[in-house]
Amino acid sequence: MKEKWRVKLAQALVKSPEKKKDRFKIGYLTKKYALFILPFITCLREGLEAVVFVGGVGIGGQATAFPLPVVVGLIAGITVGALLYYFGSSMSMQIFLIVSTCVLYLISAGLFSRGVWYFQTYKYNQATGGDASENGSGPGTYDINQSVWHVNCCNPETDNGWDVFNALLGWQNSATYGSVISYNVYWIFIICVLLLMVYEEKHGHLPFTKNLTLVQLNPMYHIKGKKKHELNKKQQEELFTKLRQQNFGEVNEEADEASSNKLIEQPVEQVSEKK
């Protein structure tokens, strides 16, 4: 993965369209200004989500329901932004990405398990003729035939506070066979994929195959014809040589040269050979 992004960054810095009018094409601009577009789109999306969620609260609630979540959200956002701004330079990017990825894995595991739980609850509600889980936590509010465990409290549907754990981690006070099995299947799948990625990083291919990688299992890899755009070892070395000789300007020439040398100082360990 590291080598892949080294090549992508080098291509973005070195390659430029032959025709001047091609420099205004969306494909070229998105590659060149990817580091700006990605956080911009992320902030825009989060802002739209905030408007939608606050608007949703306003439709079904009173005006007094606005201040607390808005103020708390602003405080949390400003706090996290300030921490990233002042301590981001001293923080290891690798550690930050690992921690954030693990958090996303936890959230997605909860979403997967919760989706199965809601599907089973829907089937039970159809059989009973009502929203059983919203009527409390006692007998009759859950399907005893599908229950793994049940506690008469901590219901995310009715008890305040537990809905946060439900949204982030998929917590349910009444676990079913489907929700527990799906949660474990999800983590088994993630573990298998990570092991395959580690093996591919060390050997350059998947186990028991010499010319197959994970990316080649993606149908879009073949539909978009990405194979023909891959560079072999010689082409990558030529690319990094061009990057070393690239002139990024006179003002920050020394800094740019140091950055380019840092990008190419490590040898290419994994390459994709062209057939």
Side-chain angles (χ1 to χ4, degrees):
M1 184 64 69
K2 182 178 179 180
E3 300 300 331
K4 174 183 176 181
W5 281 103
R6 287 180 64 236
V7 173
K8 284 182 175 291
L9 289 173
Q11 289 177 332
L13 291 172
V14 173
K15 290 187 176 181
S16 59
E18 297 179 357
K19 299 179 181 179
K20 291 185 178 181
K21 63 179 182 179
D22 293 339
R23 297 181 180 180
F24 299 97
K25 289 186 176 180
I26 296 178
Y28 174 72
L29 293 176
T30 52
K31 290 181 180 179
K32 185 176 181 180
Y33 300 104
L35 294 179
F36 165 76
I37 294 175
L38 180 60
F40 175 76
I41 296 298
T42 302
C43 294
L44 182 63
R45 179 179 61 84
E46 295 296 335
L48 291 175
E49 285 184 1
V51 172
V52 171
F53 290 146
V54 172
V57 173
I59 293 175
Q62 299 178 354
T64 55
F66 277 88
L68 182 60
V70 172
V71 172
V72 172
L74 288 174
I75 294 175
I78 293 172
T79 302
V80 173
L83 291 175
L84 290 176
Y85 180 79
Y86 287 106
F87 301 102
S89 59
S90 59
M91 182 188 305
S92 173
M93 182 60 67
Q94 183 178 8
I95 295 176
F96 174 77
L97 292 176
I98 290 174
V99 173
S100 59
T101 302
C102 291
V103 172
L104 290 177
Y105 281 150
L106 287 172
I107 294 175
S108 59
L111 287 173
F112 185 54
S113 175
R114 188 173 56 167
V116 175
W117 185 89
Y118 275 118
F119 177 76
Q120 291 185 295
T121 301
Y122 170 75
K123 299 295 292 184
Y124 181 66
N125 289 339
Q126 281 189 323
T128 58
D131 296 330
S133 61
E134 297 180 0
N135 295 328
S137 302
T141 60
Y142 62 97
D143 188 359
I144 189 64
N145 295 322
Q146 296 292 330
S147 180
V148 178
W149 75 77
H150 178 82
V151 291
N152 292 330
C153 68
C154 314
N155 189 341
E157 299 285 343
T158 58
D159 299 333
N160 294 328
W162 291 99
D163 53 345
V164 176
F165 293 97
N166 174 262
L168 296 179
L169 303 175
W171 159 258
Q172 296 290 350
N173 67 313
S174 180
T176 63
Y177 289 115
S179 63
V180 174
I181 292 174
S182 61
Y183 191 84
N184 286 277
V185 167
Y186 170 87
W187 283 113
I188 292 173
F189 175 78
I190 292 296
I191 291 171
C192 292
V193 172
L194 291 177
L195 290 176
L196 290 175
M197 292 176 67
V198 171
Y199 186 92
E200 181 183 336
E201 186 175 357
K202 291 182 178 180
H203 300 86
H205 58 83
L206 295 178
F208 311 110
T209 58
K210 292 186 177 181
N211 298 317
L212 183 65
T213 59
L214 275 176
V215 69
Q216 293 176 350
L217 298 179
N218 185 0
M220 297 305 298
Y221 174 83
H222 303 281
I223 294 174
K224 292 185 176 181
K226 292 186 177 181
K227 178 67 177 179
K228 61 182 180 181
H229 298 296
E230 292 182 352
L231 304 179
N232 55 32
K233 185 176 181 180
K234 183 179 179 180
Q235 291 172 327
Q236 290 185 10
E237 290 177 352
E238 293 177 354
L239 177 64
F240 292 134
T241 301
K242 291 181 181 179
L243 178 63
R244 188 185 293 109
Q245 299 173 351
Q246 186 79 15
N247 184 13
F248 294 100
E250 298 179 356
V251 178
N252 296 324
E253 184 176 354
E254 295 181 358
D256 290 333
E257 184 178 356
S259 300
S260 61
N261 289 334
K262 184 177 180 181
L263 179 64
I264 61 177
E265 64 184 359
Q266 298 179 355
V268 178
E269 298 175 356
Q270 296 179 358
V271 295
S272 300
E273 295 290 344
K274 276 191 173 181
K275 290 185 178 180

